[in-house]
Amino acid sequence: MRRRRLAELVREETETLQESSLPSSEKRLLPSSEPPLTPHKEKEHKKGQRLPRYLTYIRKECRLRLDQIESLSSLARKIKQSYKLPHRLTENDLIRVAVDLFLNDVQGSAEKAFDYLKSHLRGGVDDPN
């Protein structure tokens, strides 16, 4: 069986998403070249293959500082070398864990989130009061 390239997989998924039956009201809100902002369901892919894990997530871009990127890369490399994991570990996995920890810590409270941001962001945050 021939190995498939990432570009081929992404192209197939994009075509599948464009063919999906979204209500016309949602279709007009989407750029024509981008898939909708919903994760793929854990479903069987062609010929009984499961979708790659990264295709089950919603794409969200974030700008990071150079020191953050270097630290994430270094930490991911150390974890990969030290532990045997059931799947490939990426910097994005570490970012998802950090987001989960933050959301769990503030528990949906805007006040807790603001206090956390004030104490952790470089340069601080201005208090609106």
Side-chain angles (χ1 to χ4, degrees):
M1 180 161 133
R2 166 175 100 79
R3 286 187 67 158
R4 300 170 69 194
R5 293 191 171 163
L6 178 60
E8 291 173 350
L9 289 170
V10 171
R11 187 179 319 108
E12 286 178 11
E13 289 307 311
T14 302
E15 289 169 359
T16 303
L17 285 172
Q18 289 174 347
E19 294 169 1
S20 70
S21 59
L22 283 177
S24 59
S25 61
E26 289 183 25
K27 281 184 182 177
R28 66 181 169 77
L29 299 175
L30 297 173
S32 59
S33 63
E34 293 185 23
L37 290 177
T38 55
H40 297 278
K41 300 290 183 216
E42 287 291 331
K43 62 179 181 182
E44 294 293 317
H45 196 49
K46 294 179 182 176
K47 298 182 183 176
Q49 297 173 344
R50 294 188 71 76
L51 282 175
R53 195 168 49 105
Y54 76 95
L55 287 177
T56 64
Y57 300 122
I58 298 171
R59 182 176 180 84
K60 177 70 177 169
E61 293 188 21
C62 176
R63 294 186 177 264
L64 300 173
R65 297 184 316 264
L66 180 59
D67 64 307
Q68 292 172 321
I69 292 171
E70 290 172 348
S71 295
L72 280 171
S73 297
S74 174
L75 182 58
R77 216 175 10 260
K78 288 176 186 173
I79 293 170
K80 286 183 234 181
Q81 291 169 354
S82 301
Y83 301 96
K84 185 172 183 166
L85 300 172
H87 56 79
R88 188 176 140 223
L89 180 72
T90 65
E91 289 90 358
N92 285 336
D93 292 323
L94 298 178
I95 292 169
R96 281 190 289 276
V97 168
V99 168
D100 287 340
L101 290 171
F102 171 73
L103 293 174
N104 188 43
D105 191 38
V106 299
Q107 299 172 351
S109 166
E111 184 178 340
K112 286 182 183 178
F114 183 74
D115 290 341
Y116 189 90
L117 291 172
K118 276 197 313 191
S119 63
H120 289 84
L121 279 181
R122 285 187 177 179
V125 177
D126 294 331
D127 195 340
N129 298 327

